[in-house]
């Protein structure tokens, strides 16, 4: 058993001896006999520790705590590495455990705690969620794990969504399966030119360094390009096109425990009808 | 006489035959005999035309209008170039003329309409102005024309200001003349490291492409680096350090006529006492 050396000295023991999910090893079912005041499924997300006392922790931003401990490859104080989903046991503080309501299947809950929160949080924080009776046209760049979630949440929030991808083969998936409204191939310069200045916000999920010029061009004045992918090499930022529209490059990485719980509750309370044009439940 | 072909068909003739300022050729004194309802000094700023009907123009953002006409090197519909401060005559619509109250000397008013508005507007728009009884620590990168203005306005708004420059010789000017609170040399890695995560916002006035990594590091979580300089080559944007603090690269370029008038009125109504720690009037 890996024991998380909590800086606060309090530990809750959510072991995995019982009802362990083979698909999602970090999902654990808490036997009711333990009396732990959680529903019958709890889950550890991307992080499983933080200092608890810094300015970030005080603002529910444990994910930006300098001492944040990643569930995946995080380093404990004794030098041991965390194995994330490859672990067969976890010990974490209660604060870092997310309650999973019974009506959300583990297969649906698992990606919310990483890819889901990665896009849910910035969509709300950076004002990309349409207000009632208003319209927002959002771009989602890339259609892998995080991109899928971005389309689903943007649609659930009521936005018009254009997926931007380098793979023409993704169009069918984007439009027919996920309910995106339109699709742009990122090297189709003619169609990109026609879409200049049409978007109210863009979530870029691609983890490859490149020039941000085409995406900046798609934004309306004063709008935001939100980066959630993390390329190793720096990207190219053309400043003049940015400043000539008061545009913004924003960024975000997962989120703290309070909003990670919120996303699960949102998923539990969102009916298929509101989720996408084709009525598919995104979770 | 250069005649600005107004898209709206209305022109006001603010000629320069009378009381022309040799120092600031685009500043014109309107003879009271003309009956024009302006104070006795008016001035043309960075822009002298826009379409008047696009979304930007409707929101007082003529500066982002696709048809915006620069006072400097702007191209009229007939192909003629505007000569900015080198002109000896201007014809512009009233909308693009700024009223200059009598108690602001032309030498003080002139830079407000370009360098001044370049920093005044984003300081306010991006929330870098301290609220009453709160503290903000702002960085100003570069101490040339725009940097000077950034320090002056940041101090006038009540912020603590650190000037960041590659020239050690600028320290005296920054601290003693402009009232900055501290000074960092941009290649002093030890002092930069000590200042990591200490700033509530940064205005970068430098027009040279480079890596934005050191400046991103100086910001606290969720804070903004505002670019107002315009390098020709793209800058390097390291994305991982950005997303691991939900940091933002914002941008801004001058501003529309409404706020350009506002900055002049602010200058007229700001007393030296509130302008900087050393009591110097910034205008």
């Amino acid at each position: 058993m890996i024991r998380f050396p909590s800086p606060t000295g309090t530990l809750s023991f959510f072991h995995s001896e019982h009802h362990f999910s083979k698909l999602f090893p970090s999902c654990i079912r808490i036997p009711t006999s333990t009396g732990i005041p959680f529903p019958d499924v709890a889950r550890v997300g991307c992080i499983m520790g933080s200092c608890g006392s810094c300015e970030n922790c005080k603002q529910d931003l444990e994910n930006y705590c300098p001492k944040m401990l990643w569930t995946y490859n995080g380093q404990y104080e004794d030098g041991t590495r965390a194995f994330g989903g490859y672990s067969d046991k976890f010990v974490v503080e209660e604060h870092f455990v997310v309650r999973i309501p019974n009506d959300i299947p583990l297969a649906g809950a698992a990606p919310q705690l990483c890819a889901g929160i990665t896009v849910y949080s910035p969509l709300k924080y950076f004002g990309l969620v349409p207000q009632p009776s208003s319209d927002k046209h959002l771009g989602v760049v890339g259609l892998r794990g995080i991109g899928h979630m971005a389309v689903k949440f943007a649609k659930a929030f009521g936005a018009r969504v254009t997926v931007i991808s380098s793979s023409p083969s993704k169009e069918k998936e984007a439009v027919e399966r996920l309910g995106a409204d339109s699709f742009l191939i990122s090297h189709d310069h003619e169609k990109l030119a026609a879409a200049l200045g049409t978007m109210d916000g863009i979530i870029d999920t691609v983890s490859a360094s490149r020039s941000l010029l085409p995406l900046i061009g798609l934004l309306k004045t004063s709008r935001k390009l939100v980066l959630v992918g993390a390329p190793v090499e720096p990207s190219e930022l053309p400043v003049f096109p940015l400043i000539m529209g008061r545009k913004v490059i924003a960024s975000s990485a997962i989120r703290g425990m309070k909003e990670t719980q919120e996303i699960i509750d949102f998923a539990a309370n969102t009916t298929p009808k509101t989720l996408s044009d084709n009525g598919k439940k995104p979770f």
Side-chain angles (χ1 to χ4, degrees), chain A:
Chain A
M1 183 181 77
I2 294 170
R3 192 170 191 283
F4 172 47
S6 159
T8 65
T10 58
L11 289 175
S12 295
F13 294 88
F14 292 145
H15 293 186
S16 54
E17 285 81 353
H18 310 280
H19 309 283
F20 196 82
S21 160
K22 284 183 181 172
L23 268 175
F24 308 102
S26 58
C27 279
I28 48 175
R29 292 182 187 278
I30 311 297
T32 51
S33 62
T34 62
I36 290 168
F38 273 94
D40 68 343
V41 180
R43 195 178 192 279
V44 179
C46 293
I47 60 179
M48 56 178 180
S50 71
C51 79
S53 59
C54 71
E55 284 306 310
N56 292 322
C57 286
K58 286 178 191 168
Q59 296 174 60
D60 299 311
L61 296 169
E62 302 93 340
N63 52 317
Y64 300 129
C65 169
K67 295 185 178 174
M68 186 261 282
L69 183 67
W70 289 105
T71 307
Y72 307 91
N73 207 30
Q75 189 167 20
Y76 295 93
E77 286 180 8
D78 65 0
T80 317
R81 288 280 176 187
F83 294 108
Y86 297 102
S87 307
D88 60 1
K89 293 178 184 177
F90 267 116
V91 178
V92 295
E93 287 187 87
E94 281 180 31
H95 182 72
F96 294 95
V97 172
V98 180
R99 290 168 292 121
I100 310 290
N102 277 327
D103 56 351
I104 296 193
L106 289 185
Q112 303 308 326
L113 305 188
C114 185
I117 191 67
T118 295
V119 294
Y120 175 91
S121 181
L123 278 168
K124 293 183 66 185
Y125 180 74
F126 289 115
L128 304 189
V129 174
Q131 297 303 303
S133 78
S134 77
D135 176 55
K136 275 210 198 303
H137 178 203
L138 302 184
V140 172
V141 189
L143 201 62
R144 296 195 172 198
I146 299 176
H148 271 82
M149 283 293 157
V151 177
K152 288 174 172 179
F153 277 105
K155 289 305 300 177
F157 286 139
R160 279 188 300 128
V161 175
T162 294
V163 170
I164 304 155
S165 167
S166 60
S167 307
S169 63
K170 300 260 178 142
E171 181 166 5
K172 188 175 178 185
E173 187 180 4
V175 175
E176 294 182 17
R177 183 165 165 236
L178 299 174
D181 301 274
S182 55
F183 185 85
L184 273 176
I185 299 166
S186 54
H187 49 268
D188 184 338
H189 300 299
E190 199 172 313
K191 287 194 176 163
L192 282 177
L196 284 175
T198 64
M199 296 190 182
D200 294 293
I202 299 176
I203 299 266
D204 181 0
T205 71
V206 174
S207 291
S209 64
R210 62 210 190 284
S211 172
L212 299 177
L213 181 61
L215 301 180
I216 291 169
L218 294 174
L219 292 171
K220 296 178 186 173
T221 303
S222 309
R223 301 308 202 281
K224 301 181 185 87
L225 164 61
V226 184
L227 308 179
V228 297
V232 175
E233 297 296 321
S235 285
E236 272 189 18
L237 180 65
V239 179
F240 196 74
L242 196 75
I243 71 170
M244 284 315 296
R246 195 168 60 178
K247 297 178 183 178
V248 166
I249 309 291
S251 73
S252 186
I254 58 170
R255 188 60 195 268
M257 299 316 299
K258 185 176 174 186
E259 200 173 359
T260 304
Q261 185 64 59
E262 182 184 309
I263 192 179
I264 293 295
D265 298 339
F266 175 87
N269 294 317
T270 303
T271 61
K273 188 168 181 300
T274 65
L275 296 178
S276 68
D277 285 346
N278 63 3
K280 289 186 184 297
K281 187 156 186 165
F283 312 113

